[in-house]
Each structure stands twice: as structure tokens, then as C-alpha cells.
């Protein structure tokens, strides 16, 4: 009889332990589910803007170029070139131009389930000539008007402006605008609430920018 009671008590103890373990597991998983639901950050214009502004300048299109340019200059007197003072050089160079948007100027509006992203105008954010690519040809040696470092700097600045104008005429900014919209959309769609189609995402350029 004592043995039977011991077995019964042992069973009760085991069942009690199993119940406690099961109850603890239920509490654990319930807590995990609750935490999971509440761990998703709330979508606000401030939070989204902060995330995007961390990117700083967003370069979406790169344009590599190789050019040949000629520099000429003469000393002047009353608007007339002075004879025998002409200096010139022919120069080849390569560079890289990048177009994108300034993310600090981005604006986001969140209304109900609609997120509207207003982007600033696309612009040239960098234009760098590779100094190692520069080669000079037909450089004159004029003792009355020698070539100076400032001549090369002025030439490089003018060439950069020329390249930018040429790239814009060929549709660089239009292509960059399309890529910027796609890049921003891809970034935002990584956020769970947006990715799961619980929000409508609209990306456009700010007409006031």
C-alpha cells in the first residue's frame, strides 16, 4: 500500500512539474509574440526622414569621360591682344562625374497608410578629374607670357563646367532622377510595414525645390 501511494505521489509530482513547464513555455511564447508585434518601429515622417538623411548625398549615376581641350591666352592692352604674347597648350584628361540628390533636403509626409516622399532636384554632386590621366601636348614657351599653375587650374575648372553642361544636355539628370526614385523605393520597402503592403508609398520630386 505504501508503495502504491509513493507511485501516486510521484505521478502527481511529475504531472505538476510538466504543468509548470508547459505554463512557463506558454508565457514565454506569448511574451515573444507580444514583443514581436511591438518591436516593429512606428512609421512616422520623423523616423523615416532620419533614416534617409543618414545617407547624406545619394549618388545614383556615374559618368566617366575622356576629353581633349586646348588652352589659349594672350596679354591684352585696351581689349587688344598684344603680339608675341600668346601662350597655349593642348591637354587630354579623364574624369568621373556623379549625379544624385542631397538627402538633407528630403521631405516625408505620413498620412494614415500613405507615405509621400518629396525629393529635391537631382544635381551634380561631384566632378573629379584624375590627375594621373592628364597629358600635356604642344605647350608653348613664351617668355613674355609664361604658362602658370593658375592657367591649368582655370582650364580644369572651365573643362568641368563644359563636361557638366554636355552631360545634362545628354539626359544625365533625367536618368539620375529615375534611378533616385527607384533607389529610395527599394530602401523604404525594406521596412516591414511598407514591405508587407500595409502602407502606400509615393515618391515624387518636390516642385518647390
Amino acid at each position: 500500500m505504501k508503495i502504491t501511494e509513493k507511485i501516486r505521489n510521484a505521478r502527481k509530482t511529475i504531472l505538476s512539474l510538466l504543468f509548470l513547464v508547459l505554463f512557463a513555455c506558454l508565457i514565454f511564447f506569448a511574451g515573444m509574440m507580444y514583443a514581436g508585434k511591438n518591436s516593429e518601429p512606428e512609421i512616422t515622417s520623423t523616423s523615416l526622414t532620419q533614416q534617409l538623411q543618414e545617407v547624406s548625398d545619394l549618388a545614383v549615376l556615374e559618368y566617366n569621360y575622356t576629353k581633349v581641350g586646348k588652352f589659349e591666352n594672350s596679354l591684352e592692352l585696351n581689349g587688344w591682344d598684344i603680339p608675341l604674347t600668346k601662350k597655349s597648350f593642348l591637354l587630354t584628361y579623364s574624369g568621373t562625374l556623379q549625379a544624385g540628390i542631397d538627402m538633407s533636403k528630403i521631405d516625408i509626409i505620413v498620412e494614415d497608410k500613405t507615405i509621400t516622399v518629396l525629393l529635391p532636384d537631382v544635381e551634380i554632386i561631384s566632378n573629379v578629374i584624375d590627375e594621373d590621366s592628364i597629358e600635356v601636348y604642344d605647350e608653348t614657351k613664351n617668355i613674355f607670357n609664361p604658362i602658370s599653375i593658375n592657367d591649368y587650374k582655370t582650364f580644369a575648372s572651365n573643362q568641368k563646367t563644359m563636361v557638366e553642361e554636355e552631360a545634362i544636355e545628354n539626359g544625365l539628370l533625367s536618368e539620375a532622377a529615375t534611378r533616385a526614385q527607384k533607389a529610395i523605393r527599394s530602401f523604404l520597402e525594406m521596412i516591414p510595414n511598407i514591405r508587407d503592403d500595409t502602407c502606400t508609398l509615393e515618391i515624387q520630386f518636390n516642385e518647390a525645390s
Side-chain angles (χ1 to χ4, degrees), residues 65-100:
Y65 57 86
T66 298
K67 299 290 183 179
V68 178
K70 186 174 184 178
F71 174 86
E72 289 184 343
N73 175 267
S74 296
L75 296 178
E76 294 183 354
L77 180 62
N78 295 326
W80 294 86
D81 291 342
I82 300 176
L84 304 177
T85 63
K86 181 179 179 179
K87 60 181 175 181
S88 65
F89 58 81
L90 187 67
L91 188 148
T92 64
Y93 62 94
S94 298
T96 301
L97 181 153
Q98 290 185 330

Side-chain angles (χ1 to χ4, degrees), residues 13-128:
T13 302
I14 293 172
L15 289 173
S16 298
L17 290 173
L18 288 174
F19 177 80
L20 290 173
V21 171
L22 179 60
F23 184 73
C25 290
L26 289 174
I27 293 176
F28 175 78
F29 285 113
M32 290 291 290
M33 292 178 64
Y34 179 82
K37 290 180 179 179
N38 290 275
S39 62
E40 293 182 358
E42 182 183 358
I43 294 180
T44 65
S45 59
T46 301
S47 63
L48 292 178
T49 300
Q50 288 176 345
Q51 291 182 59
L52 290 176
Q53 287 183 345
E54 290 179 357
V55 181
S56 186
D57 289 333
L58 176 65
V60 294
L61 187 59
E62 187 174 277
Y63 173 69
N64 297 310
Y65 57 86
T66 298
K67 299 290 183 179
V68 178
K70 186 174 184 178
F71 174 86
E72 289 184 343
N73 175 267
S74 296
L75 296 178
E76 294 183 354
L77 180 62
N78 295 326
W80 294 86
D81 291 342
I82 300 176
L84 304 177
T85 63
K86 181 179 179 179
K87 60 181 175 181
S88 65
F89 58 81
L90 187 67
L91 188 148
T92 64
Y93 62 94
S94 298
T96 301
L97 181 153
Q98 290 185 330
I101 58 177
D102 182 353
M103 298 294 282
S104 67
K105 298 178 181 179
I106 202 167
D107 191 17
I108 298 178
I109 301 172
V110 178
E111 295 180 342
D112 296 328
K113 294 295 184 179
T114 300
I115 301 172
T116 303
V117 182
L118 300 175
L119 303 178
D121 289 336
V122 176
E123 58 186 351
I124 305 298
I125 59 178
S126 71
N127 187 3
V128 180

Side-chain angles (χ1 to χ4, degrees), residues 131-142:
E131 294 184 0
D132 294 334
S133 71
I134 297 175
E135 294 187 18
V136 180
Y137 302 92
D138 298 331
E139 185 178 35
T140 59
K141 305 291 184 181
N142 194 312

Side-chain angles (χ1 to χ4, degrees), residues 129-168:
I129 292 177
D130 181 8
E131 294 184 0
D132 294 334
S133 71
I134 297 175
E135 294 187 18
V136 180
Y137 302 92
D138 298 331
E139 185 178 35
T140 59
K141 305 291 184 181
N142 194 312
I143 59 174
F144 301 108
N145 188 20
I147 294 174
S148 66
I149 295 297
N150 189 58
D151 291 329
Y152 291 111
K153 290 181 178 179
T154 300
F155 174 80
S157 178
N158 292 337
Q159 290 297 300
K160 285 183 178 181
T161 300
M162 181 193 71
V163 169
E164 291 177 10
E165 292 175 349
E166 180 182 281
I168 291 172

